[in-house]
Amino acid sequence: MKPIRLFACLLLFSTLALPQHKSQHTPHKKTAKKASASHPQANSALAIHQSALIIDTHADTPQRFLDENFDLGQNTPVSEGHIDLDKIKKGNLGAEFFSIWVEPEFKGQYSKRAMDLIDSVYQQAARHPDKMTMAFSADDIVRAQQEHKFAALMGIEGGHAIENDLRLLRDFYRVGVRYMTLTWSNTNEWADSSGDIQNPNVKHHNGMTDFGKDVVREMNRLGMIVDISHVSDATFYQALLISQAPVIASHSSSRELTNAPRNMTDDMLRAMTNNGGVVMVNFYSAFIDENYRKASYDPEKTKVRDAEVEAFKKEHAHPDGSPVSYNEYAFIEKRWAAQFPRPPLKSLIDHIDHVAQVAGIDHVGLGSDFDGVTSLPEGIDSTADLPKITQALLHRGYTREQIQKILGGNFLRAMREVEATAKRLQTERKASDSLSFEDIELMVGNRVGATLLVDRIVQHGVNFPLTPGLRDRLKSEFKSEKDAEQVLDAIAKAKRK
Ligand SMILES: [Zn+2]
């Protein structure tokens, strides 16, 4: 890790020298002078920013839509919200992934909560058809930009939302969800989270269960992006091994710079390069600034805050028994966070820079976590301030082309690859039409779970008769007798083609 720091420092020195260097070698002095009436740097930063397709991959605004009846057409003070249509326009934000964050407190009604949040995003698009549109693909995002409309997309935050059911996963894809974080801060029944990995009272799985791996496979086949933000390190590496398409971190920063467990180590960043994925840097002060993190995670102080939150929840319990949502007590968290000085904008840019150096310029992007965090770096109060990031990157010596990759180009490329992989997986299966005995054996060997296997068998049929010999052979390859019976039963009943 040390040599990388040194390397980064050297690079930093060389990039700091860059702007000066550039002006010395400006090839068209006359045109440069003409264009630069007052601030040449600012002018070109603005030009780059305004011409870019800017995609932010994580904002928690849907809770505001649903729980506060907030409308994007309202101009809200930044103390209340980071996103509205006016701020979107000022920041030239082209597309936002609205987070369908299902609080673990909603146990027993995860999918209902998710569907309510999904509906709230559609409602916003329906209310502002002249300014925004729903989008479901990379092409949709580009088309929206051409029509000068803001594109709204959706990603589920917390794999527990699918209630351990691949059918629900498919339903979420059908209603437009295009990524899912395998976990939120809570370990679910099939994947470990970084949020509770140290908690001995939580049942962990050493990463993912076989069903968890099936979830990743089915997401690949559907074209839903696998999002590894929030997951434990073991879950991360397993997801990368299984996934046939690039994965993303929709809102994660660097652990080398800021030691939060849900940030990504340099080794993870390099693994993302090999995978072709993209790491979208989270703007939250405690994820981008070590001083802020240390101050705000002081256990004695957080105890006081947590007690206040618990007292509020008790006092404001809903008569129908539904849980008090985060949004209702967010003011306590915000007030508490405000006691710590905001980190400088430089901290955020350092993280973008670090991911660009370690993972590569093609693997970094923006995942603000707007409307989901209680503190942002100085100067970044809302989406309206996004141009400041472009300006800061330009000052560090990033080129126009590189900046446009960071602002959205990289994510768009990864989304296209996910779409292409899904298309390939779906046609490959169609081409071979029905499953051979070897196909099924291979899936058993790859530890594809019984549910997914049965799914595939019902969908595609088989091209072989289940002789007693084949039956015994397959049975011996299963660990669980119950799974074997389930699959053999499906083969016996399947269409023969
Ligand atoms: Zn999150």
Side-chain angles (χ1 to χ4, degrees):
M1 297 219 173
K2 284 266 161 57
I4 284 146
R5 260 196 184 282
L6 185 67
F7 180 62
C9 277
L10 286 171
L11 273 165
L12 189 66
F13 279 120
S14 59
T15 51
L16 275 174
L18 250 177
Q20 245 186 338
H21 205 75
K22 259 189 195 162
S23 57
Q24 281 166 8
H25 292 276
T26 304
H28 306 291
K29 270 212 166 137
K30 271 182 189 163
T31 41
K33 214 174 182 182
K34 205 177 163 193
S36 68
S38 51
H39 304 286
Q41 202 70 268
N43 281 346
S44 55
L46 200 64
I48 292 170
H49 194 84
Q50 289 307 114
S51 65
L53 172 50
I54 301 163
I55 305 171
D56 177 30
T57 51
H58 200 88
D60 277 301
T61 328
Q63 296 159 70
R64 300 196 66 212
F65 299 152
L66 184 62
D67 298 335
E68 291 174 28
N69 206 13
F70 168 64
D71 187 293
L72 274 177
Q74 281 167 248
N75 292 358
T76 40
V78 289
S79 57
E80 282 171 34
H82 301 142
I83 298 185
D84 57 45
L85 287 173
D86 189 49
K87 295 185 183 85
I88 285 168
K89 194 154 192 265
K90 282 187 181 135
N92 191 32
L93 179 62
E96 181 66 72
F97 270 84
F98 286 112
S99 170
I100 307 303
W101 175 50
V102 179
E103 284 165 84
E105 281 76 10
F106 282 79
K107 200 168 172 64
Q109 37 185 311
Y110 291 154
S111 54
K112 156 128 178 60
R113 177 71 178 172
M115 290 304 280
D116 287 351
L117 288 163
I118 288 167
D119 177 71
S120 78
V121 180
Y122 276 89
Q123 291 296 327
Q124 289 299 315
R127 281 189 213 170
H128 306 285
D130 51 330
K131 291 184 179 144
M132 72 182 276
T133 179
M134 295 301 295
F136 309 102
S137 65
D139 281 348
D140 282 354
I141 296 175
V142 173
R143 201 174 310 124
Q145 190 200 28
Q146 287 162 353
E147 291 170 3
H148 304 286
K149 282 182 187 174
F150 164 65
L153 296 100
M154 297 174 296
I156 286 182
E157 181 164 29
H160 56 279
I162 66 165
E163 301 184 6
N164 310 323
D165 191 338
L166 292 177
R167 284 167 296 207
L168 265 179
L169 174 71
R170 291 193 283 266
D171 287 337
F172 284 131
Y173 181 85
R174 289 182 190 111
V175 294
V177 173
R178 289 298 177 265
Y179 76 61
M180 180 170 81
T181 70
L182 299 176
T183 73
W184 180 59
S185 302
N186 56 312
T187 287
N188 55 43
E189 286 172 64
W190 46 269
D192 290 346
S193 166
S194 63
D196 59 17
I197 197 70
Q198 307 288 1
N199 185 344
N201 300 320
V202 174
K203 185 183 179 294
H204 291 115
H205 322 288
N206 232 330
M208 275 189 284
T209 65
D210 286 351
F211 176 77
K213 291 170 188 171
D214 286 348
V215 171
V216 171
R217 293 183 184 105
E218 187 65 353
M219 288 174 80
N220 281 170
R221 195 191 65 85
L222 288 167
M224 194 189 280
I225 307 169
V226 175
D227 184 352
I228 52 77
S229 278
H230 283 289
V231 304
S232 74
D233 293 10
T235 303
F236 168 84
Y237 286 109
Q238 287 170 16
L240 259 65
L241 267 182
I242 301 281
S243 182
Q244 296 197 43
V247 308
I248 62 163
S250 66
H251 58 310
S252 294
S253 305
S254 151
R255 208 185 297 172
E256 173 75 14
L257 299 189
T258 308
N259 192 24
R262 79 180 252 358
N263 278 349
M264 298 171 73
T265 64
D266 284 357
D267 190 64
M268 290 162 102
L269 294 180
R270 283 186 286 266
M272 288 295 279
T273 318
N274 292 333
N275 164 271
V278 189
V279 177
M280 263 67 67
V281 173
N282 191 314
F283 296 6
Y284 178 40
S285 300
F287 296 157
I288 55 158
D289 189 275
E290 188 62 10
N291 292 331
Y292 186 97
R293 188 190 72 84
K294 279 190 180 143
S296 64
Y297 282 12
D298 177 332
E300 287 311 308
K301 283 183 183 164
T302 48
K303 250 187 229 163
V304 176
R305 177 201 58 189
D306 294 347
E308 204 181 330
V309 167
E310 281 315 307
F312 178 90
K313 280 183 179 173
K314 264 193 196 133
E315 211 176 303
H316 296 83
H318 297 169
D320 65 356
S322 64
V324 176
S325 73
Y326 171 81
N327 232 41
E328 293 173 68
Y329 60 83
F331 75 97
I332 299 175
E333 307 253 359
K334 279 185 195 167
R335 193 177 58 205
W336 184 83
Q339 65 184 300
F340 311 106
R342 294 166 70 176
L345 176 58
K346 178 187 174 298
S347 296
L348 171 61
I349 307 302
D350 284 348
H351 275 259
I352 298 174
D353 206 16
H354 186 80
V355 177
Q357 308 287 358
V358 179
I361 188 66
D362 293 324
H363 306 277
V364 55
L366 306 179
S368 67
D369 218 346
F370 280 140
D371 283 335
V373 295
T374 49
S375 172
L376 290 164
E378 272 171 8
I380 305 293
D381 291 326
S382 75
T383 42
D385 295 314
L386 289 173
K388 291 178 188 170
I389 295 174
T390 299
Q391 178 133 34
L393 289 170
L394 193 67
H395 273 294
R396 288 214 186 179
Y398 283 86
T399 66
R400 179 190 190 96
E401 196 196 9
Q402 290 172 327
I403 292 170
Q404 291 185 338
K405 282 181 176 186
I406 296 169
L407 294 179
N410 287 336
F411 174 79
L412 205 66
R413 187 263 311 153
M415 190 174 190
R416 284 193 196 287
E417 280 183 43
V418 169
E419 290 167 358
T421 305
K423 212 170 173 185
R424 175 173 63 79
L425 292 172
Q426 288 171 22
T427 47
E428 263 175 17
R429 265 284 143 249
K430 262 187 211 135
S432 66
D433 208 24
S434 55
L435 299 172
S436 66
F437 183 77
E438 289 69 31
D439 284 336
I440 294 173
E441 228 178 10
L442 191 70
M443 285 196 272
V444 177
N446 287 336
R447 296 176 70 198
V448 171
T451 321
L452 188 59
L453 255 171
V454 169
D455 225 56
R456 299 279 194 269
I457 292 164
V458 170
Q459 198 180 341
H460 300 286
V462 296
N463 64 7
F464 60 94
L466 189 60
T467 61
L470 290 182
R471 177 180 274 275
D472 288 346
R473 190 165 130 193
L474 200 60
K475 206 169 174 176
S476 70
E477 287 164 23
F478 276 94
K479 276 193 187 143
S480 141
E481 204 164 311
K482 202 179 127 223
D483 286 353
E485 285 307 326
Q486 213 184 323
V487 171
L488 287 166
D489 191 48
I491 295 172
K493 287 181 187 156
K495 266 183 285 174
R496 276 275 303 282
K497 293 180 199 164

